[in-house]
Amino acid sequence: MGRVKVFRDLLGIIKDKASQSKAALISNPRTLSLHLALLRATTHDPFSPPDPTHLATLLSFGHCSRATASTAVDAIMDRLQTTRDAAVAIKCLITVHHIIKRGSFILQDQLSVYPSTGGRNYLKLSNFRDDTTPLTWELSSWVRWYALYLENLLSTSRILGFFLCSTSSSVDKDTEEDKVSSLINTELLKEINSLGNLIEQIAKKPDSLNSNGNVLVDAVLGLVGEDYLSSINEVSIRVSEFKERLDCLGFVDSVELVCVLRSLEECKERLSTLSQRKKVMIESVWGSINEVKDQIGNSKAYKEDEGRLLMMGRRNKVSESARFGERVVMKHSGNPLKFSSGRFLSFNDVSFPAYASME
């Protein structure tokens, strides 16, 4: 077994040297430094994370033209998609993560188009397998999970309107709270649902056996742990806003919110070991999540609507045609206009005239 490991490590070194020599021979002189930095940052060694110097070189291409930034992202994604080595794949994903966290706006912008343009999703690695050794086999599960996590992170950032966890797009808390308070309920639900999906994906991280203590896995967990703190903070802001709006939430919105909060609570135990920082803040957020969920579930209006919904469900089991025939959309007119945020409840007694439907 020891000889196999030595042979594999030697083969990895040879591959790295060969790739760098090939890049030096065939690369465009203008992009040679880019390709060499990428190859040096994503070596085949499963026991060393990307060198910070080479990562910094890659990030520096984000301060050039948009075309150069696009070339850099293309090179990273091409390296990610063509490799069959778990260590190289994880290092490519770590590089992508560093772009999200520390990259320039131009570099982040080029990266963000990949899962959303309708073309090939370069982060889709659900079939990735490296069965060379027990370690690479286990690292393969981290590759699949990490790629899906980063895809979720980009999707959530797109919904929020800024790169979550990015040092270059940090938002002042008061400014963020003002922005959140201006959202209508459906938009706010969309944001907290997306954040919930992201945190659920964090909780699905693979269990470690052969990779326990591996520096690549530790590097991934360190980056994701920082993201978790940012995500839970964003959840806290939105849960606090929903707490202000409980009297204005309809039954459907209440059900959706309760489902999101319950899903989050189911992740709590698996997330407890992810970060040892800001434990008081994190526990406070979980307390708020439980409080809002219970307030909605114990509200008289929620219980009454839930009871009526169950009764309707029993009546509608009569036939398939009955289910489709009894769908009635109730339209109310002349009722007071309800502002979403509880901060504006003083305006909720003002009535507005009803207008004809534009449908």
Side-chain angles (χ1 to χ4, degrees):
M1 187 68 182
R3 290 183 178 180
V4 173
K5 181 181 178 299
V6 171
F7 176 75
R8 187 181 186 279
D9 293 345
L10 181 61
L11 184 61
I13 293 172
I14 294 173
K15 285 182 178 180
D16 292 332
K17 294 295 184 182
S19 297
Q20 292 173 33
S21 299
K22 181 180 177 181
L25 289 171
I26 68 174
S27 293
N28 187 315
R30 294 182 178 179
T31 60
L32 176 59
S33 59
L34 163 64
H35 287 99
L36 288 178
L38 175 59
L39 291 171
R40 290 165 180 165
T42 58
T43 62
H44 290 74
D45 184 2
F47 300 101
S48 65
D51 188 290
T53 302
H54 302 315
L55 283 176
T57 301
L58 287 171
L59 292 177
S60 70
F61 289 98
H63 301 287
C64 302
S65 67
R66 185 171 293 273
T68 301
S70 178
T71 300
V73 172
D74 285 342
I76 295 168
M77 293 303 187
D78 183 65
R79 175 84 163 151
L80 176 62
Q81 282 292 313
T82 56
T83 187
R84 294 294 175 264
D85 186 276
V88 173
I90 286 185
K91 291 178 186 182
C92 287
L93 293 170
I94 288 175
T95 303
V96 170
H97 206 161
H98 274 280
I99 291 175
I100 296 173
K101 294 179 73 68
R102 301 193 290 118
S104 67
F105 171 78
I106 294 177
L107 205 56
Q108 291 174 340
D109 186 52
Q110 292 300 311
L111 178 64
S112 67
V113 302
Y114 274 89
S116 63
T117 54
R120 183 182 183 186
N121 182 0
Y122 286 80
L123 290 172
K124 185 178 180 181
L125 297 173
S126 55
N127 295 321
F128 186 91
R129 300 287 189 281
D130 180 357
D131 58 359
T132 309
T133 68
L135 174 60
T136 59
W137 178 256
E138 189 166 304
L139 288 178
S140 296
S141 65
W142 283 92
V143 171
R144 297 190 296 273
W145 169 80
Y146 196 20
L148 185 56
Y149 166 74
L150 291 176
E151 186 179 344
N152 273 273
L153 179 58
L154 287 172
S155 176
T156 299
S157 298
R158 197 173 298 114
I159 289 171
L160 296 180
F162 61 91
F163 279 92
L164 185 67
C165 321
S166 172
T167 56
S168 61
S169 60
S170 57
V171 182
D172 179 77
K173 185 176 181 180
D174 292 337
T175 303
E176 179 68 1
E177 287 177 350
D178 289 341
K179 183 216 119 181
V180 167
S181 67
S182 68
L183 297 175
I184 60 175
N185 289 340
T186 53
E187 292 173 341
L188 192 55
L189 279 167
K190 185 178 181 180
E191 289 193 353
I192 197 169
N193 187 53
S194 184
L195 286 162
N197 290 337
L198 181 65
I199 291 175
E200 285 182 58
Q201 182 60 28
I202 294 176
K204 292 177 182 177
K205 63 182 177 65
D207 295 320
S208 296
L209 182 62
N210 293 296
S211 61
N212 188 33
N214 179 269
V215 289
L216 286 180
V217 171
D218 288 346
V220 170
L221 290 176
L223 291 168
V224 174
E226 293 173 2
D227 294 353
Y228 170 56
L229 292 177
S230 300
S231 302
I232 205 74
N233 183 62
E234 294 297 329
V235 167
S236 174
I237 293 173
R238 285 150 185 81
V239 168
S240 297
E241 180 58 33
F242 271 119
K243 192 174 182 180
E244 298 281 343
R245 301 187 184 193
L246 290 183
D247 293 335
C248 306
L249 284 180
F251 178 67
V252 174
D253 290 343
S254 298
V255 170
E256 185 174 351
L257 178 59
V258 167
C259 288
V260 172
L261 298 181
R262 283 176 179 169
S263 296
L264 279 169
E265 283 191 323
E266 290 173 1
C267 303
K268 180 180 177 181
E269 186 174 347
R270 282 190 61 85
L271 294 168
S272 60
T273 59
L274 188 61
S275 178
Q276 301 302 313
R277 297 169 50 207
K278 300 185 178 180
K279 281 193 171 183
V280 175
M281 183 273 286
I282 292 174
E283 284 302 316
S284 175
V285 175
W286 288 119
S288 298
I289 288 172
N290 183 67
E291 180 185 356
V292 171
K293 184 201 68 176
D294 288 346
Q295 283 182 344
I296 295 173
N298 295 329
S299 67
K300 183 178 178 181
Y302 182 89
K303 289 180 178 179
E304 289 176 351
D305 285 338
E306 188 177 36
R308 282 197 292 269
L309 190 64
L310 291 172
M311 291 178 64
M312 288 177 63
R314 283 193 289 268
R315 288 200 303 268
N316 289 344
K317 287 181 180 179
V318 176
S319 68
E320 189 72 18
S321 60
R323 275 201 298 274
F324 286 96
E326 292 180 7
R327 288 179 183 172
V328 180
V329 179
M330 302 299 293
K331 293 185 178 181
H332 301 279
S333 60
N335 287 336
L337 176 64
K338 296 291 185 181
F339 287 86
S340 295
S341 179
R343 296 182 177 87
F344 305 108
L345 285 176
S346 59
F347 293 97
N348 282 338
D349 294 329
V350 181
S351 296
F352 293 84
Y355 294 93
S357 173
M358 298 298 291
E359 298 177 358

